[in-house]
């Protein structure tokens, strides 16, 4: 049993861990580990938005171009591709790339092909584009996996996994796994600010505030047997969908700026047996309160726990980041005004 | 908004409160307050046990004698009477008395009439008796009420109520309301020990260990209108019963030494529209883990939260104590071997 906080990130606490020292969790969980040279990672969600089915082909073409760009020098060490419909009824295709080095990300972003495409004023009729990038330092994110191979998300660009960790299976363990929680409550500060570009009216940048929290919470039923698959899709997934619909449609009242329940797809747009929720929150506190107390999420939790032993091959995992304002960047081109972080941002104009 | 920890019990923290300083709960809750001269309270559960319905009359007679004794000098400032069937199929009538002064309790206990009855070797055929007494110091218990009048339980022997308190509506708030949590994890130490009396084989004393936790969690639907009453009894109470049955029958595996889901009765044995759960736990940690994660309790929580606005006159409340070994006393005379704290106690003979 070891701490989820890697040895080189441990420091004298000024804030208590919630679990007592002798706490022993009821089942095993591991976290991703990176060597000490990793000091900050980058998670870049690059999206294509369209409304009518007739634009799906152009949107998929645009998604493939993003993934082609990922293959350039300094591209991400790992990526995946998804689709989802948002609250405004638009469809969105998103490629997320993970980098273990922010300098490499910046070089990639500034590559003439990538920058040229992003900065171009040429528009493809019917498509919007966005880039939502967070770059948490290593003391500002945590992961959680009940499996140790083929890690999805940020785990795929790290170097391995821990042994069994102590900090899980209790409310508050998410915070206890974030190294910075040893000394910092990570309280939010300020608001989201929308900065339209007067010269280019279809572009908006949203400036984040300190300690925005981002959770990616994933479900992978691709390895399940038919009975387990049916159990998940029939008895658990509908509860997940209800919780996700709540956050998508009414998240503002609980501090959720944006929630996307996305389906993994291949580059032809065919669905894979994997989904995840990607959601941005005003603070880790607000995420904790919702997860621990909202009836939709607790119903989901109960639905899963009651069936967990019959879902041995279902893979659930998550990654949570709490990010400084300067390490967030949200950019929208030709997107509808409730896209992502735009919805809750205050315009300063 | 004030702290649930009364001003004279606040001290410099060595352990953090779980909620951030700017946390604001979503609905109002008050706690009981006592003047500073109250340093320790006493909660004495005095029970009568019988198996066959034919002994009910004698058992009710015995209960009435206990309540008569409560009226002696130095008797409790408040009491109530209940019945429940236990996991072994025995019925139990319990009178609980509350004192705001342990010296008064000791004088009452040592009153010739009370002590004489308890120490007598005369038995009433078919009846067992028990006395389970905990005497938490004021830094070792907390209360929670969404109403401010007619406080049940320990609140009835205190002096009033607080204003709205901050520490509630999040997991961990129970601990945060216990003053001692400011500096002490209240970890359990040792085991329950059964000490049979060789000279009087029908008597057993159980010695507690440090930081046994006792929760009384109450439900009062006596003030509800018919529709609300039906909603509670039909949609919520069955979930409560399932959670209580789990703790009664399988509590040992989660650290629950004893759970009684009791119905208030009058002295003729007629049921009142009030119930409560009274349960003893190895530690506050174990109680927290169960309440926060067990599907039966979370299902109950969800069932209630989804209907809370339609249950305005239902009164739910609780009191929780975390008690030093020396301030616990559990005595059994002629009771079956799984009664109360007997079940999980190790015999030293």
């Amino acid at each position: 049993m070891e701490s989820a906080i890697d040895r080189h990130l441990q420091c004298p606490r000024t804030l208590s861990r919630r679990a007592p020292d002798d706490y022993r969790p009821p089942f095993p969980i591991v976290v991703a580990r990176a060597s000490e040279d990793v000091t900050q990672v980058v998670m870049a969600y690059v999206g294509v938005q369209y409304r009518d089915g007739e634009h799906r082909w152009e949107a998929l073409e645009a998604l493939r171009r993003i993934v082609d760009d990922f293959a350039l020098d300094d591209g991400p060490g790992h990526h995946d591709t998804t689709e989802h419909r948002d609250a405004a009824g638009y469809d969105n295709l998103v490629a997320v790339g993970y980098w273990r080095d922010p300098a490499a990300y910046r070089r990639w972003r500034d590559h003439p092909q990538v920058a040229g495409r992003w900065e171009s004023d040429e528009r493809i009729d019917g498509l919007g584009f966005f880039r939502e990038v967070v770059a948490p330092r290593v003391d500002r994110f945590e992961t959680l996996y009940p499996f140790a191979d083929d890690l999805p998300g940020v785990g795929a660009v790290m170097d391995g996994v821990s042994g069994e960790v102590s900090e899980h299976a209790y409310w508050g363990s998410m915070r206890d796994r974030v190294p910075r929680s040893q000394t910092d409550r990570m309280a939010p500060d300020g608001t989201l600010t929308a900065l339209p570009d007067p010269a280019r009216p279809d572009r908006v940048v949203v400036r984040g505030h300190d300690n925005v929290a981002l959770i990616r919470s994933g479900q992978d039923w691709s390895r399940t047997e038919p009975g387990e698959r049916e159990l998940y899709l029939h008895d658990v997934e509908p509860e997940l969908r209800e919780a996700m619909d709540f956050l998508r449609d009414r998240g503002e009242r609980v501090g959720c700026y944006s929630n996307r329940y996305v389906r993994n797809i291949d580059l032809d747009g065919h669905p894979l047996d994997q989904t995840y929720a990607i959601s941005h929150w005003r603070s880790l506190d607000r995420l904790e309160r919702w997860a621990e107390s909202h009836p939709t999420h607790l119903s989901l939790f109960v639905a899963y726990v009651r069936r967990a032993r019959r879902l041995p091959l279902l893979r659930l995992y998550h990654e949570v980041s709490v990010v400084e304002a300067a390490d967030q960047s949200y950019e929208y081109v030709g997107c509808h005004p409730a896209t992502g972080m735009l919805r809750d941002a205050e315009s300063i104009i």
Side-chain angles (χ1 to χ4, degrees), chain A:
Chain A
M1 193 68 58
E2 58 194 80
S3 173
I5 300 176
D6 207 354
R7 194 174 299 264
H8 68 280
L9 298 171
Q10 292 175 13
C11 69
R13 284 184 173 277
T14 57
L15 298 170
S16 327
R17 192 176 90 146
R18 183 159 186 239
D21 291 340
D22 64 351
Y23 170 73
R24 289 293 172 271
F27 53 90
I29 283 289
V30 301
V31 303
R33 296 287 197 214
S35 63
E36 293 192 36
D37 66 293
V38 175
T39 59
Q40 189 173 15
V41 298
V42 178
M43 306 163 173
Y45 290 83
V46 186
V48 184
Q49 185 176 84
Y50 67 102
R51 174 135 204 174
D52 298 313
E54 62 176 300
H55 293 295
R56 183 168 173 78
W57 174 255
E58 293 96 319
L60 277 167
E61 273 287 290
L63 182 72
R64 286 188 284 263
R65 280 194 297 274
I66 294 164
V67 173
D68 284 345
D69 286 353
F70 280 174
L72 294 170
D73 283 351
D74 297 312
H78 179 71
H79 74 272
D80 61 62
T81 48
T82 66
E83 71 177 334
H84 71 279
R85 180 159 292 175
D86 65 29
Y90 285 72
D91 289 302
N92 299 265
L93 305 179
V94 182
V96 57
Y98 288 87
W99 284 257
R100 55 184 272 141
D101 175 6
Y105 167 72
R106 287 190 294 268
R107 288 193 298 270
W108 176 81
R109 182 196 63 193
D110 297 339
H111 189 288
Q113 181 170 320
V114 177
R117 222 194 288 286
W118 183 257
E119 295 301 332
S120 169
D121 286 328
E122 283 181 43
R123 287 289 153 269
I124 300 160
D125 183 46
L127 299 193
F129 291 88
F130 58 86
R131 283 203 307 212
E132 298 180 348
V133 184
V134 301
R137 294 173 191 278
V138 283
D139 64 342
R140 285 178 162 275
F141 73 92
E142 62 89 11
T143 60
L144 175 103
Y145 311 97
F147 51 90
D149 61 311
D150 290 338
L151 299 189
V154 71
V157 297
M158 294 175 71
D159 297 307
V161 296
S162 67
E164 287 186 34
V165 301
S166 165
E167 299 93 342
H168 76 93
Y170 61 91
W171 303 115
S173 60
M174 173 170 68
R175 179 181 295 270
D176 284 350
R177 288 188 299 270
V178 177
R180 197 165 177 89
S181 72
Q182 297 169 103
T183 58
D184 184 355
R185 292 268 194 192
M186 298 177 283
D189 184 22
T191 56
L192 298 181
T193 311
L195 305 165
D197 184 337
R200 299 192 287 180
D202 65 347
R203 289 181 181 251
V204 188
V205 168
V206 172
R207 198 164 59 197
H209 58 74
D210 276 339
N211 294 318
V212 164
L214 172 65
I215 180 168
R216 169 178 170 156
S217 175
Q219 306 81 35
D220 177 347
W221 65 97
S222 64
R223 297 161 200 245
T224 58
E225 302 293 332
E228 182 179 348
R229 175 191 172 90
E230 170 66 15
L231 184 66
Y232 172 67
L233 292 176
H234 191 269
D235 289 5
V236 180
E237 197 278 342
E239 301 273 357
L240 171 58
R241 186 169 294 275
E242 188 183 339
M244 295 297 99
D245 286 352
F246 172 85
L247 285 184
R248 182 193 61 198
D249 299 335
R250 287 176 285 166
E252 191 168 359
R253 69 178 71 173
V254 294
C256 180
Y257 290 140
S258 165
N259 186 60
R260 301 179 174 115
Y261 176 39
V262 306
R263 179 82 180 249
N264 285 76
I265 57 170
D266 66 22
L267 290 181
D268 296 317
H270 298 133
L272 307 178
D273 286 349
Q274 296 166 341
T275 51
Y276 56 90
I278 184 78
S279 64
H280 293 76
W281 294 77
R282 172 152 180 78
S283 66
L284 192 61
D285 277 310
R286 301 298 289 271
L287 170 55
E288 288 177 304
R289 292 291 83 70
W290 180 79
E292 298 175 13
S293 65
H294 198 268
T296 59
H297 190 257
L298 290 180
S299 284
L300 165 63
F301 182 87
V302 168
Y304 173 70
V305 168
R306 287 194 191 274
R307 294 165 183 84
R309 268 182 299 188
R310 289 182 286 149
L311 296 165
L313 299 175
L314 174 67
R315 291 189 162 201
L316 306 180
Y317 66 92
H318 89 200
E319 62 193 47
V320 174
S321 306
V322 187
V323 190
E324 290 173 280
D327 294 328
Q328 302 166 45
S329 165
Y330 310 105
E331 304 170 275
Y332 304 88
V333 181
C335 292
H336 71 74
T339 302
M341 305 294 266
L342 277 176
R343 186 194 68 195
D344 296 346
E346 294 173 22
S347 181
I348 59 164
I349 297 194

